[in-house]
Amino acid sequence: CRQEGACTKLDEDILDIPLDDPDANAAAAKIQASFRGHMTRKKIKGGEIDRKTKDAECANSTRGGD
């Protein structure tokens, strides 16, 4: 967009978004919180699978040194 006339309609629309709009900030915060929750749930779910695998390995192994 640095050259005159090089901006597309989409670029112009993006540039017209008011960054100090409270409604836009609230919407962005909700989207970000939702995404963070999604990533946390995904991470926890993956951790449960790893933990179950480790628990099964521990149960199948013998304890030495007792």
Side-chain angles (χ1 to χ4, degrees):
C1 261
R2 294 177 189 217
Q3 297 174 354
E4 194 65 33
C7 292
T8 65
K9 178 67 174 154
L10 180 61
D11 290 337
E12 290 174 5
D13 289 343
I14 291 172
L15 293 174
D16 288 339
I17 296 173
L19 298 177
D20 59 347
D21 181 21
D23 291 335
N25 287 335
K30 283 186 178 184
I31 292 168
Q32 290 170 356
S34 177
F35 181 75
R36 287 187 190 118
H38 164 73
M39 293 304 292
T40 301
R41 288 187 297 276
K42 184 176 178 181
K43 183 177 178 182
I44 289 172
K45 186 176 182 181
E48 288 176 0
I49 293 171
D50 291 341
R51 190 172 355 133
K52 288 178 183 178
T53 304
K54 288 179 184 178
D55 288 345
E57 290 173 359
C58 290
N60 291 334
S61 67
T62 59
R63 296 180 77 187
D66 279 345

